[in-house]
Amino acid sequence: MKVHRDLDHLPEFRNAVITIGTFDGVHAGHRFIIQQLEQAANDCGGETVIVTFDPHPREVLLPSPNNIRLLTTLPEKIALLERAGIDHLVVVPFTKAFSEMPARSYLEDFLVARFKPHTIIIGYDHRFGHNREGGLELLEAEQQQYGFKLIEIPQQVVHDLTVSSTKIRKSLQEGGCSLANELLGYTYFLTGTVVHGDKMGRQLGYPTANLHLSDERKLIPAEGIYAVRVGLTGHPELLPAVMSIGFRPTFNGTDLRLEVHLFDFKEDLYGQELTVYFVAYIRSNLKFDNVDALIVQMDKDSAQAKDILAKEG
């Protein structure tokens, strides 16, 4: 897959079959659209082109703290779309000025001039241009003049896409890994760099890797304890682990920590990048009366995580 970020230097696409969207999560619903793209491209001997935006349009149009929590950062989205077999991904810098482009200019100067589309696949309710004044009706009215074919994604499919994204976010924020992973079609993951902590886990017999996320917009699942697998450079297999997300109530913590304990692992991880895959939610965070009680519970959590991961295969 080729990734294009400079709109002034796009290639001459061959019979471009394009669709437009944020594709956050690249979940199972999105892959239905990707199948439509591939089928249409096969029919006309064309190339598949996805047009997406960075930053997320909501960050620009509705700026506020915590306004958007991403299921996938841009690098993650790129990797997932490449795995799906897309030919071209065009990342459009989303700005206020871009959002205020008149709908006809969007059609003529952006879609037609830059992509020369053979086919446009678009949702029944897709809106574009200043004040969202453009949509399917404008594309239908002009498709003969500009020579592109228009394929409408039906209402029920668009509804299912929206529901899927909402359900995935809600499930993760409630600790529902299983449903989220089912809707995604893969195991939800986040990536971070291992930073120095206060070494408390080591004192408890459970040394942990403290993660700092590469993108603060990434959705962090609900606070609690999880069975996870960890991807680490130099290790071809995912490593079994247990993860804690929370404020460490037993120690009256004030900052959210993402801590991973890798089973039977002795290597120094400081400064390394880890990818954590959320397999199952074990329990919510608890405040214990003393450290001994916490260690007893940590032993139980680790045993449960190992059992879950062994059954998952």
Side-chain angles (χ1 to χ4, degrees):
M1 184 179 77
K2 295 178 180 176
V3 181
H4 311 278
R5 300 170 188 263
D6 185 351
L7 293 179
D8 293 326
H9 294 90
L10 293 177
E12 290 286 331
F13 301 111
R14 184 185 74 254
N15 288 349
V17 177
I18 78 170
T19 193
I20 304 150
T22 58
F23 279 81
D24 187 28
V26 194
H27 56 62
H30 291 134
R31 285 195 287 283
F32 171 82
I33 296 176
I34 289 170
Q35 290 171 4
Q36 302 286 99
L37 277 180
E38 290 173 340
Q39 182 60 57
N42 287 338
D43 290 345
C44 69
E47 296 179 296
T48 53
V49 182
I50 286 181
V51 181
T52 194
F53 306 101
D54 188 61
H56 193 290
R58 276 172 56 185
E59 292 182 76
V60 176
L61 301 177
L62 300 168
S64 67
N66 302 323
N67 176 48
I68 184 70
R69 282 290 173 261
L70 300 175
L71 295 171
T72 43
T73 64
L74 182 58
E76 291 167 355
K77 187 194 300 186
I78 289 171
L80 288 166
L81 289 172
E82 182 165 27
R83 198 179 305 165
I86 294 299
D87 296 318
H88 298 274
L89 178 66
V90 179
V91 181
V92 178
F94 195 88
T95 62
K96 198 77 164 58
F98 181 83
S99 73
E100 293 172 350
M101 184 186 300
R104 187 161 291 278
S105 295
Y106 179 96
L107 170 59
E108 295 175 352
D109 303 331
F110 178 64
L111 284 182
V112 174
R114 296 189 185 279
F115 297 95
K116 300 178 177 59
H118 176 281
T119 302
I120 298 175
I121 298 179
I122 211 77
Y124 82 102
D125 64 346
H126 183 80
R127 310 303 300 176
F128 55 85
H130 186 53
N131 291 329
R132 295 167 55 83
E133 61 192 11
L136 195 66
E137 65 283 351
L138 177 59
L139 295 176
E140 286 175 334
E142 301 297 337
Q143 68 178 116
Q144 187 169 354
Q145 178 183 346
Y146 293 111
F148 58 81
K149 181 180 177 182
L150 190 61
I151 297 176
E152 176 186 351
I153 302 168
Q155 180 173 353
Q156 184 57 47
V157 172
V158 172
H159 173 73
D160 289 345
L161 287 172
T162 304
V163 169
S164 294
S165 296
T166 302
K167 269 191 179 178
I168 292 166
R169 290 190 180 92
K170 189 170 185 289
S171 297
L172 290 170
Q173 289 167 335
E174 294 176 349
C177 291
S178 297
L179 178 58
N181 292 342
E182 181 183 342
L183 293 171
L184 285 167
Y186 59 86
T187 305
Y188 185 72
F189 62 92
L190 53 76
T191 300
T193 303
V194 180
V195 298
H196 286 276
D198 51 20
K199 313 295 191 293
M200 184 64 71
R202 187 173 299 173
Q203 296 173 39
L204 300 174
Y206 283 90
T208 59
N210 290 270
L211 292 187
H212 174 72
L213 295 188
S214 53
D215 191 329
E216 62 183 13
R217 299 170 300 170
K218 176 78 174 181
L219 188 149
I220 298 172
E223 294 176 38
I225 309 300
Y226 293 84
V228 300
R229 288 194 174 89
V230 176
L232 175 64
T233 302
H235 290 265
E237 302 292 329
L238 295 178
L239 306 175
V242 62
M243 182 173 196
S244 169
I245 298 176
F247 291 86
R248 303 185 304 162
T250 302
F251 303 103
N252 298 314
T254 57
D255 57 328
L256 185 71
R257 298 287 186 94
L258 284 69
E259 300 176 293
V260 186
H261 171 69
L262 287 84
F263 301 129
D264 306 316
F265 190 84
K266 306 297 183 186
E267 296 177 27
D268 181 4
L269 292 174
Y270 290 119
Q272 295 198 50
E273 190 174 76
L274 302 186
T275 299
V276 179
Y277 297 85
F278 289 80
V279 176
Y281 177 83
I282 294 176
R283 65 170 176 86
S284 61
N285 286 330
L286 302 170
K287 182 170 184 174
F288 295 90
D289 294 333
N290 54 62
V291 169
D292 289 340
L294 172 59
I295 292 173
V296 169
Q297 185 60 54
M298 291 170 74
D299 290 342
K300 291 179 181 178
D301 295 338
S302 294
Q304 188 172 350
K306 288 178 181 178
D307 186 52
I308 289 169
L309 295 171
K311 288 178 180 176
E312 287 280 328

